[in-house]
Structures are given as structure tokens and as C-alpha cells.
mmCIF file with all atom_site columns, all heavy atoms in Angstrom:
data_model
loop_
_atom_site.group_PDB
_atom_site.id
_atom_site.type_symbol
_atom_site.label_atom_id
_atom_site.label_alt_id
_atom_site.label_comp_id
_atom_site.label_asym_id
_atom_site.label_entity_id
_atom_site.label_seq_id
_atom_site.pdbx_PDB_ins_code
_atom_site.Cartn_x
_atom_site.Cartn_y
_atom_site.Cartn_z
_atom_site.occupancy
_atom_site.B_iso_or_equiv
_atom_site.pdbx_formal_charge
_atom_site.auth_seq_id
_atom_site.auth_comp_id
_atom_site.auth_asym_id
_atom_site.auth_atom_id
_atom_site.pdbx_PDB_model_num
ATOM 1   N N   . HIS O 1 1  ? 164.052 -13.196 -18.081 1.00 94.00 ? 1340 HIS O N   1
ATOM 2   C CA  . HIS O 1 1  ? 164.728 -13.059 -19.388 1.00 94.00 ? 1340 HIS O CA  1
ATOM 3   C C   . HIS O 1 1  ? 164.852 -14.459 -20.062 1.00 94.00 ? 1340 HIS O C   1
ATOM 4   O O   . HIS O 1 1  ? 164.693 -14.498 -21.332 1.00 94.00 ? 1340 HIS O O   1
ATOM 5   C CB  . HIS O 1 1  ? 166.071 -12.517 -19.192 1.00 94.00 ? 1340 HIS O CB  1
ATOM 6   C CG  . HIS O 1 1  ? 166.078 -11.058 -18.862 1.00 94.00 ? 1340 HIS O CG  1
ATOM 7   N ND1 . HIS O 1 1  ? 165.831 -10.030 -19.676 1.00 94.00 ? 1340 HIS O ND1 1
ATOM 8   C CD2 . HIS O 1 1  ? 166.199 -10.422 -17.605 1.00 94.00 ? 1340 HIS O CD2 1
ATOM 9   C CE1 . HIS O 1 1  ? 165.778 -8.880  -19.103 1.00 94.00 ? 1340 HIS O CE1 1
ATOM 10  N NE2 . HIS O 1 1  ? 166.072 -9.143  -17.811 1.00 94.00 ? 1340 HIS O NE2 1
ATOM 11  N N   . ASP O 1 2  ? 164.948 -15.511 -19.334 1.00 94.00 ? 1341 ASP O N   1
ATOM 12  C CA  . ASP O 1 2  ? 164.996 -16.850 -19.952 1.00 94.00 ? 1341 ASP O CA  1
ATOM 13  C C   . ASP O 1 2  ? 163.713 -17.436 -20.422 1.00 94.00 ? 1341 ASP O C   1
ATOM 14  O O   . ASP O 1 2  ? 163.636 -18.215 -21.324 1.00 94.00 ? 1341 ASP O O   1
ATOM 15  C CB  . ASP O 1 2  ? 165.663 -17.816 -19.011 1.00 94.00 ? 1341 ASP O CB  1
ATOM 16  C CG  . ASP O 1 2  ? 167.188 -17.529 -18.800 1.00 94.00 ? 1341 ASP O CG  1
ATOM 17  O OD1 . ASP O 1 2  ? 167.730 -16.757 -19.508 1.00 94.00 ? 1341 ASP O OD1 1
ATOM 18  O OD2 . ASP O 1 2  ? 167.748 -18.096 -17.863 1.00 94.00 ? 1341 ASP O OD2 1
ATOM 19  N N   . HIS O 1 3  ? 162.645 -17.056 -19.643 1.00 92.00 ? 1342 HIS O N   1
ATOM 20  C CA  . HIS O 1 3  ? 161.359 -17.830 -19.897 1.00 92.00 ? 1342 HIS O CA  1
ATOM 21  C C   . HIS O 1 3  ? 160.191 -16.842 -20.198 1.00 92.00 ? 1342 HIS O C   1
ATOM 22  O O   . HIS O 1 3  ? 159.405 -17.046 -21.194 1.00 92.00 ? 1342 HIS O O   1
ATOM 23  C CB  . HIS O 1 3  ? 160.918 -18.711 -18.671 1.00 92.00 ? 1342 HIS O CB  1
ATOM 24  C CG  . HIS O 1 3  ? 161.911 -19.759 -18.476 1.00 92.00 ? 1342 HIS O CG  1
ATOM 25  N ND1 . HIS O 1 3  ? 162.869 -19.607 -17.455 1.00 92.00 ? 1342 HIS O ND1 1
ATOM 26  C CD2 . HIS O 1 3  ? 162.265 -20.885 -19.166 1.00 92.00 ? 1342 HIS O CD2 1
ATOM 27  C CE1 . HIS O 1 3  ? 163.724 -20.725 -17.476 1.00 92.00 ? 1342 HIS O CE1 1
ATOM 28  N NE2 . HIS O 1 3  ? 163.384 -21.495 -18.539 1.00 92.00 ? 1342 HIS O NE2 1
ATOM 29  N N   . VAL O 1 4  ? 160.053 -15.879 -19.392 1.00 94.00 ? 1343 VAL O N   1
ATOM 30  C CA  . VAL O 1 4  ? 158.780 -15.024 -19.521 1.00 94.00 ? 1343 VAL O CA  1
ATOM 31  C C   . VAL O 1 4  ? 158.878 -14.207 -20.803 1.00 94.00 ? 1343 VAL O C   1
ATOM 32  O O   . VAL O 1 4  ? 157.874 -14.149 -21.538 1.00 94.00 ? 1343 VAL O O   1
ATOM 33  C CB  . VAL O 1 4  ? 158.647 -14.152 -18.256 1.00 94.00 ? 1343 VAL O CB  1
ATOM 34  C CG1 . VAL O 1 4  ? 157.485 -13.065 -18.414 1.00 94.00 ? 1343 VAL O CG1 1
ATOM 35  C CG2 . VAL O 1 4  ? 158.442 -14.946 -17.053 1.00 94.00 ? 1343 VAL O CG2 1
ATOM 36  N N   . LEU O 1 5  ? 159.961 -13.478 -21.023 1.00 97.00 ? 1344 LEU O N   1
ATOM 37  C CA  . LEU O 1 5  ? 160.025 -12.585 -22.231 1.00 97.00 ? 1344 LEU O CA  1
ATOM 38  C C   . LEU O 1 5  ? 159.955 -13.255 -23.414 1.00 97.00 ? 1344 LEU O C   1
ATOM 39  O O   . LEU O 1 5  ? 159.182 -12.982 -24.430 1.00 97.00 ? 1344 LEU O O   1
ATOM 40  C CB  . LEU O 1 5  ? 161.316 -11.685 -22.169 1.00 97.00 ? 1344 LEU O CB  1
ATOM 41  C CG  . LEU O 1 5  ? 161.370 -10.783 -21.001 1.00 97.00 ? 1344 LEU O CG  1
ATOM 42  C CD1 . LEU O 1 5  ? 162.625 -9.931  -21.051 1.00 97.00 ? 1344 LEU O CD1 1
ATOM 43  C CD2 . LEU O 1 5  ? 160.138 -9.838  -20.943 1.00 97.00 ? 1344 LEU O CD2 1
ATOM 44  N N   . PRO O 1 6  ? 160.654 -14.532 -23.592 1.00 98.00 ? 1345 PRO O N   1
ATOM 45  C CA  . PRO O 1 6  ? 160.575 -15.289 -24.917 1.00 98.00 ? 1345 PRO O CA  1
ATOM 46  C C   . PRO O 1 6  ? 159.070 -15.805 -25.078 1.00 98.00 ? 1345 PRO O C   1
ATOM 47  O O   . PRO O 1 6  ? 158.481 -15.786 -26.129 1.00 98.00 ? 1345 PRO O O   1
ATOM 48  C CB  . PRO O 1 6  ? 161.415 -16.438 -24.724 1.00 98.00 ? 1345 PRO O CB  1
ATOM 49  C CG  . PRO O 1 6  ? 162.458 -15.855 -23.846 1.00 98.00 ? 1345 PRO O CG  1
ATOM 50  C CD  . PRO O 1 6  ? 161.798 -15.006 -22.862 1.00 98.00 ? 1345 PRO O CD  1
ATOM 51  N N   . ALA O 1 7  ? 158.381 -16.128 -23.995 1.00 98.00 ? 1346 ALA O N   1
ATOM 52  C CA  . ALA O 1 7  ? 156.989 -16.614 -24.057 1.00 98.00 ? 1346 ALA O CA  1
ATOM 53  C C   . ALA O 1 7  ? 156.069 -15.436 -24.537 1.00 98.00 ? 1346 ALA O C   1
ATOM 54  O O   . ALA O 1 7  ? 155.204 -15.596 -25.317 1.00 98.00 ? 1346 ALA O O   1
ATOM 55  C CB  . ALA O 1 7  ? 156.516 -17.188 -22.715 1.00 98.00 ? 1346 ALA O CB  1
ATOM 56  N N   . LEU O 1 8  ? 156.326 -14.214 -24.036 1.00 98.00 ? 1347 LEU O N   1
ATOM 57  C CA  . LEU O 1 8  ? 155.572 -13.102 -24.490 1.00 98.00 ? 1347 LEU O CA  1
ATOM 58  C C   . LEU O 1 8  ? 155.800 -12.803 -25.960 1.00 98.00 ? 1347 LEU O C   1
ATOM 59  O O   . LEU O 1 8  ? 154.810 -12.513 -26.629 1.00 98.00 ? 1347 LEU O O   1
ATOM 60  C CB  . LEU O 1 8  ? 155.835 -11.832 -23.651 1.00 98.00 ? 1347 LEU O CB  1
ATOM 61  C CG  . LEU O 1 8  ? 155.391 -11.866 -22.085 1.00 98.00 ? 1347 LEU O CG  1
ATOM 62  C CD1 . LEU O 1 8  ? 156.035 -10.678 -21.344 1.00 98.00 ? 1347 LEU O CD1 1
ATOM 63  C CD2 . LEU O 1 8  ? 153.905 -11.822 -22.121 1.00 98.00 ? 1347 LEU O CD2 1
ATOM 64  N N   . LEU O 1 9  ? 157.093 -12.849 -26.356 1.00 98.00 ? 1348 LEU O N   1
ATOM 65  C CA  . LEU O 1 9  ? 157.300 -12.634 -27.851 1.00 98.00 ? 1348 LEU O CA  1
ATOM 66  C C   . LEU O 1 9  ? 156.603 -13.640 -28.733 1.00 98.00 ? 1348 LEU O C   1
ATOM 67  O O   . LEU O 1 9  ? 156.025 -13.380 -29.684 1.00 98.00 ? 1348 LEU O O   1
ATOM 68  C CB  . LEU O 1 9  ? 158.853 -12.628 -27.993 1.00 98.00 ? 1348 LEU O CB  1
ATOM 69  C CG  . LEU O 1 9  ? 159.526 -11.474 -27.537 1.00 98.00 ? 1348 LEU O CG  1
ATOM 70  C CD1 . LEU O 1 9  ? 161.084 -11.725 -27.627 1.00 98.00 ? 1348 LEU O CD1 1
ATOM 71  C CD2 . LEU O 1 9  ? 159.256 -10.174 -28.277 1.00 98.00 ? 1348 LEU O CD2 1
ATOM 72  N N   . GLN O 1 10 ? 156.611 -14.910 -28.265 1.00 98.00 ? 1349 GLN O N   1
ATOM 73  C CA  . GLN O 1 10 ? 155.948 -16.052 -29.014 1.00 98.00 ? 1349 GLN O CA  1
ATOM 74  C C   . GLN O 1 10 ? 154.434 -15.894 -28.947 1.00 98.00 ? 1349 GLN O C   1
ATOM 75  O O   . GLN O 1 10 ? 153.851 -16.270 -29.975 1.00 98.00 ? 1349 GLN O O   1
ATOM 76  C CB  . GLN O 1 10 ? 156.375 -17.315 -28.510 1.00 98.00 ? 1349 GLN O CB  1
ATOM 77  C CG  . GLN O 1 10 ? 155.956 -18.484 -29.267 1.00 98.00 ? 1349 GLN O CG  1
ATOM 78  C CD  . GLN O 1 10 ? 156.586 -19.860 -28.829 1.00 98.00 ? 1349 GLN O CD  1
ATOM 79  O OE1 . GLN O 1 10 ? 157.262 -19.884 -27.912 1.00 98.00 ? 1349 GLN O OE1 1
ATOM 80  N NE2 . GLN O 1 10 ? 156.352 -20.862 -29.660 1.00 98.00 ? 1349 GLN O NE2 1
ATOM 81  N N   . ALA O 1 11 ? 153.945 -15.208 -28.009 1.00 98.00 ? 1350 ALA O N   1
ATOM 82  C CA  . ALA O 1 11 ? 152.486 -15.090 -27.902 1.00 98.00 ? 1350 ALA O CA  1
ATOM 83  C C   . ALA O 1 11 ? 151.935 -13.816 -28.666 1.00 98.00 ? 1350 ALA O C   1
ATOM 84  O O   . ALA O 1 11 ? 150.816 -13.521 -28.686 1.00 98.00 ? 1350 ALA O O   1
ATOM 85  C CB  . ALA O 1 11 ? 152.071 -14.896 -26.445 1.00 98.00 ? 1350 ALA O CB  1
ATOM 86  N N   . GLY O 1 12 ? 152.987 -13.079 -29.254 1.00 98.00 ? 1351 GLY O N   1
ATOM 87  C CA  . GLY O 1 12 ? 152.595 -11.990 -30.102 1.00 98.00 ? 1351 GLY O CA  1
ATOM 88  C C   . GLY O 1 12 ? 152.886 -10.597 -29.622 1.00 98.00 ? 1351 GLY O C   1
ATOM 89  O O   . GLY O 1 12 ? 152.612 -9.544  -30.211 1.00 98.00 ? 1351 GLY O O   1
ATOM 90  N N   . VAL O 1 13 ? 153.452 -10.466 -28.463 1.00 98.00 ? 1352 VAL O N   1
ATOM 91  C CA  . VAL O 1 13 ? 153.815 -9.223  -27.814 1.00 98.00 ? 1352 VAL O CA  1
ATOM 92  C C   . VAL O 1 13 ? 155.045 -8.735  -28.673 1.00 98.00 ? 1352 VAL O C   1
ATOM 93  O O   . VAL O 1 13 ? 156.002 -9.583  -28.905 1.00 98.00 ? 1352 VAL O O   1
ATOM 94  C CB  . VAL O 1 13 ? 154.149 -9.255  -26.421 1.00 98.00 ? 1352 VAL O CB  1
ATOM 95  C CG1 . VAL O 1 13 ? 154.699 -7.956  -25.826 1.00 98.00 ? 1352 VAL O CG1 1
ATOM 96  C CG2 . VAL O 1 13 ? 152.936 -9.807  -25.584 1.00 98.00 ? 1352 VAL O CG2 1
ATOM 97  N N   . THR O 1 14 ? 154.965 -7.461  -29.084 1.00 98.00 ? 1353 THR O N   1
ATOM 98  C CA  . THR O 1 14 ? 156.006 -6.964  -29.918 1.00 98.00 ? 1353 THR O CA  1
ATOM 99  C C   . THR O 1 14 ? 157.219 -6.548  -29.106 1.00 98.00 ? 1353 THR O C   1
ATOM 100 O O   . THR O 1 14 ? 157.192 -6.260  -27.892 1.00 98.00 ? 1353 THR O O   1
ATOM 101 C CB  . THR O 1 14 ? 155.682 -5.794  -30.715 1.00 98.00 ? 1353 THR O CB  1
ATOM 102 O OG1 . THR O 1 14 ? 155.345 -4.684  -29.958 1.00 98.00 ? 1353 THR O OG1 1
ATOM 103 C CG2 . THR O 1 14 ? 154.477 -6.163  -31.615 1.00 98.00 ? 1353 THR O CG2 1
ATOM 104 N N   . GLN O 1 15 ? 158.441 -6.421  -29.697 1.00 98.00 ? 1354 GLN O N   1
ATOM 105 C CA  . GLN O 1 15 ? 159.633 -5.900  -28.939 1.00 98.00 ? 1354 GLN O CA  1
ATOM 106 C C   . GLN O 1 15 ? 159.374 -4.476  -28.500 1.00 98.00 ? 1354 GLN O C   1
ATOM 107 O O   . GLN O 1 15 ? 159.769 -4.124  -27.426 1.00 98.00 ? 1354 GLN O O   1
ATOM 108 C CB  . GLN O 1 15 ? 160.803 -6.020  -29.884 1.00 98.00 ? 1354 GLN O CB  1
ATOM 109 C CG  . GLN O 1 15 ? 162.127 -5.623  -29.036 1.00 98.00 ? 1354 GLN O CG  1
ATOM 110 C CD  . GLN O 1 15 ? 162.404 -6.509  -27.972 1.00 98.00 ? 1354 GLN O CD  1
ATOM 111 O OE1 . GLN O 1 15 ? 162.431 -7.772  -28.090 1.00 98.00 ? 1354 GLN O OE1 1
ATOM 112 N NE2 . GLN O 1 15 ? 162.781 -5.953  -26.789 1.00 98.00 ? 1354 GLN O NE2 1
ATOM 113 N N   . ALA O 1 16 ? 158.628 -3.732  -29.365 1.00 98.00 ? 1355 ALA O N   1
ATOM 114 C CA  . ALA O 1 16 ? 158.376 -2.274  -28.980 1.00 98.00 ? 1355 ALA O CA  1
ATOM 115 C C   . ALA O 1 16 ? 157.461 -2.281  -27.679 1.00 98.00 ? 1355 ALA O C   1
ATOM 116 O O   . ALA O 1 16 ? 157.663 -1.431  -26.853 1.00 98.00 ? 1355 ALA O O   1
ATOM 117 C CB  . ALA O 1 16 ? 157.706 -1.621  -30.115 1.00 98.00 ? 1355 ALA O CB  1
ATOM 118 N N   . GLN O 1 17 ? 156.575 -3.227  -27.579 1.00 98.00 ? 1356 GLN O N   1
ATOM 119 C CA  . GLN O 1 17 ? 155.692 -3.265  -26.396 1.00 98.00 ? 1356 GLN O CA  1
ATOM 120 C C   . GLN O 1 17 ? 156.494 -3.655  -25.191 1.00 98.00 ? 1356 GLN O C   1
ATOM 121 O O   . GLN O 1 17 ? 156.370 -3.184  -24.118 1.00 98.00 ? 1356 GLN O O   1
ATOM 122 C CB  . GLN O 1 17 ? 154.591 -4.223  -26.639 1.00 98.00 ? 1356 GLN O CB  1
ATOM 123 C CG  . GLN O 1 17 ? 153.514 -3.657  -27.637 1.00 98.00 ? 1356 GLN O CG  1
ATOM 124 C CD  . GLN O 1 17 ? 152.571 -4.763  -27.940 1.00 98.00 ? 1356 GLN O CD  1
ATOM 125 O OE1 . GLN O 1 17 ? 152.818 -5.936  -28.178 1.00 98.00 ? 1356 GLN O OE1 1
ATOM 126 N NE2 . GLN O 1 17 ? 151.244 -4.324  -28.156 1.00 98.00 ? 1356 GLN O NE2 1
ATOM 127 N N   . LEU O 1 18 ? 157.396 -4.612  -25.314 1.00 98.00 ? 1357 LEU O N   1
ATOM 128 C CA  . LEU O 1 18 ? 158.344 -5.016  -24.292 1.00 98.00 ? 1357 LEU O CA  1
ATOM 129 C C   . LEU O 1 18 ? 159.125 -3.799  -23.780 1.00 98.00 ? 1357 LEU O C   1
ATOM 130 O O   . LEU O 1 18 ? 159.309 -3.671  -22.579 1.00 98.00 ? 1357 LEU O O   1
ATOM 131 C CB  . LEU O 1 18 ? 159.115 -6.263  -24.545 1.00 98.00 ? 1357 LEU O CB  1
ATOM 132 C CG  . LEU O 1 18 ? 158.457 -7.572  -24.749 1.00 98.00 ? 1357 LEU O CG  1
ATOM 133 C CD1 . LEU O 1 18 ? 159.450 -8.636  -25.200 1.00 98.00 ? 1357 LEU O CD1 1
ATOM 134 C CD2 . LEU O 1 18 ? 157.731 -7.937  -23.434 1.00 98.00 ? 1357 LEU O CD2 1
ATOM 135 N N   . ASP O 1 19 ? 159.693 -3.079  -24.747 1.00 97.00 ? 1358 ASP O N   1
ATOM 136 C CA  . ASP O 1 19 ? 160.528 -1.960  -24.380 1.00 97.00 ? 1358 ASP O CA  1
ATOM 137 C C   . ASP O 1 19 ? 159.703 -0.900  -23.624 1.00 97.00 ? 1358 ASP O C   1
ATOM 138 O O   . ASP O 1 19 ? 160.244 -0.220  -22.742 1.00 97.00 ? 1358 ASP O O   1
ATOM 139 C CB  . ASP O 1 19 ? 161.102 -1.281  -25.768 1.00 97.00 ? 1358 ASP O CB  1
ATOM 140 C CG  . ASP O 1 19 ? 162.190 -2.127  -26.364 1.00 97.00 ? 1358 ASP O CG  1
ATOM 141 O OD1 . ASP O 1 19 ? 162.603 -3.156  -25.829 1.00 97.00 ? 1358 ASP O OD1 1
ATOM 142 O OD2 . ASP O 1 19 ? 162.398 -1.831  -27.585 1.00 97.00 ? 1358 ASP O OD2 1
ATOM 143 N N   . THR O 1 20 ? 158.447 -0.696  -23.963 1.00 98.00 ? 1359 THR O N   1
ATOM 144 C CA  . THR O 1 20 ? 157.602 0.233   -23.269 1.00 98.00 ? 1359 THR O CA  1
ATOM 145 C C   . THR O 1 20 ? 157.519 -0.284  -21.850 1.00 98.00 ? 1359 THR O C   1
ATOM 146 O O   . THR O 1 20 ? 157.552 0.475   -20.890 1.00 98.00 ? 1359 THR O O   1
ATOM 147 C CB  . THR O 1 20 ? 156.219 0.262   -23.895 1.00 98.00 ? 1359 THR O CB  1
ATOM 148 O OG1 . THR O 1 20 ? 156.391 0.957   -25.282 1.00 98.00 ? 1359 THR O OG1 1
ATOM 149 C CG2 . THR O 1 20 ? 155.329 1.265   -23.138 1.00 98.00 ? 1359 THR O CG2 1
ATOM 150 N N   . MET O 1 21 ? 157.168 -1.630  -21.665 1.00 97.00 ? 1360 MET O N   1
ATOM 151 C CA  . MET O 1 21 ? 156.949 -2.091  -20.380 1.00 97.00 ? 1360 MET O CA  1
ATOM 152 C C   . MET O 1 21 ? 158.208 -2.120  -19.449 1.00 97.00 ? 1360 MET O C   1
ATOM 153 O O   . MET O 1 21 ? 158.151 -1.761  -18.263 1.00 97.00 ? 1360 MET O O   1
ATOM 154 C CB  . MET O 1 21 ? 156.469 -3.539  -20.443 1.00 97.00 ? 1360 MET O CB  1
ATOM 155 C CG  . MET O 1 21 ? 155.051 -3.662  -20.948 1.00 97.00 ? 1360 MET O CG  1
ATOM 156 S SD  . MET O 1 21 ? 154.442 -5.340  -20.852 1.00 97.00 ? 1360 MET O SD  1
ATOM 157 C CE  . MET O 1 21 ? 155.106 -6.074  -22.351 1.00 97.00 ? 1360 MET O CE  1
ATOM 158 N N   . LEU O 1 22 ? 159.349 -2.431  -20.101 1.00 96.00 ? 1361 LEU O N   1
ATOM 159 C CA  . LEU O 1 22 ? 160.480 -2.597  -19.324 1.00 96.00 ? 1361 LEU O CA  1
ATOM 160 C C   . LEU O 1 22 ? 161.576 -1.450  -19.289 1.00 96.00 ? 1361 LEU O C   1
ATOM 161 O O   . LEU O 1 22 ? 162.381 -1.451  -18.364 1.00 96.00 ? 1361 LEU O O   1
ATOM 162 C CB  . LEU O 1 22 ? 161.289 -3.909  -19.837 1.00 96.00 ? 1361 LEU O CB  1
ATOM 163 C CG  . LEU O 1 22 ? 160.468 -5.189  -19.760 1.00 96.00 ? 1361 LEU O CG  1
ATOM 164 C CD1 . LEU O 1 22 ? 161.260 -6.305  -20.473 1.00 96.00 ? 1361 LEU O CD1 1
ATOM 165 C CD2 . LEU O 1 22 ? 160.285 -5.543  -18.307 1.00 96.00 ? 1361 LEU O CD2 1
ATOM 166 N N   . VAL O 1 23 ? 161.317 -0.507  -20.197 1.00 96.00 ? 1362 VAL O N   1
ATOM 167 C CA  . VAL O 1 23 ? 162.289 0.645   -20.229 1.00 96.00 ? 1362 VAL O CA  1
ATOM 168 C C   . VAL O 1 23 ? 161.563 1.940   -20.107 1.00 96.00 ? 1362 VAL O C   1
ATOM 169 O O   . VAL O 1 23 ? 161.862 2.709   -19.170 1.00 96.00 ? 1362 VAL O O   1
ATOM 170 C CB  . VAL O 1 23 ? 163.114 0.604   -21.595 1.00 96.00 ? 1362 VAL O CB  1
ATOM 171 C CG1 . VAL O 1 23 ? 164.015 1.756   -21.728 1.00 96.00 ? 1362 VAL O CG1 1
ATOM 172 C CG2 . VAL O 1 23 ? 163.817 -0.668  -21.783 1.00 96.00 ? 1362 VAL O CG2 1
ATOM 173 N N   . ASP O 1 24 ? 160.627 2.124   -20.952 1.00 96.00 ? 1363 ASP O N   1
ATOM 174 C CA  . ASP O 1 24 ? 159.968 3.418   -20.963 1.00 96.00 ? 1363 ASP O CA  1
ATOM 175 C C   . ASP O 1 24 ? 159.144 3.776   -19.702 1.00 96.00 ? 1363 ASP O C   1
ATOM 176 O O   . ASP O 1 24 ? 159.236 4.834   -19.011 1.00 96.00 ? 1363 ASP O O   1
ATOM 177 C CB  . ASP O 1 24 ? 159.010 3.639   -22.232 1.00 96.00 ? 1363 ASP O CB  1
ATOM 178 C CG  . ASP O 1 24 ? 159.881 3.535   -23.547 1.00 96.00 ? 1363 ASP O CG  1
ATOM 179 O OD1 . ASP O 1 24 ? 161.029 3.729   -23.516 1.00 96.00 ? 1363 ASP O OD1 1
ATOM 180 O OD2 . ASP O 1 24 ? 159.223 3.131   -24.570 1.00 96.00 ? 1363 ASP O OD2 1
#
């Protein structure tokens, strides 16, 4: 949560894509 997710968001991964990976 402190490093990987912010790096993914900065690299262009959308919040919706993260929600799919981590929730759905």
C-alpha cells in the first residue's frame, strides 16, 4: 500500500484496474 500501489498508479494503472486486481 505504501509503495507498490502508488507506483502502479503513477505508471498509468487506473484505480478501476487496481480494484479489479485487488477486490473483484
Side-chain angles (χ1 to χ4, degrees):
H1340 292 283
D1341 290 349
H1342 299 102
V1343 176
L1344 297 179
L1347 288 172
L1348 288 167
Q1349 190 169 7
V1352 176
T1353 67
Q1354 185 63 50
Q1356 290 169 319
L1357 289 177
D1358 290 344
T1359 296
M1360 289 187 276
L1361 299 173
V1362 178
D1363 301 335

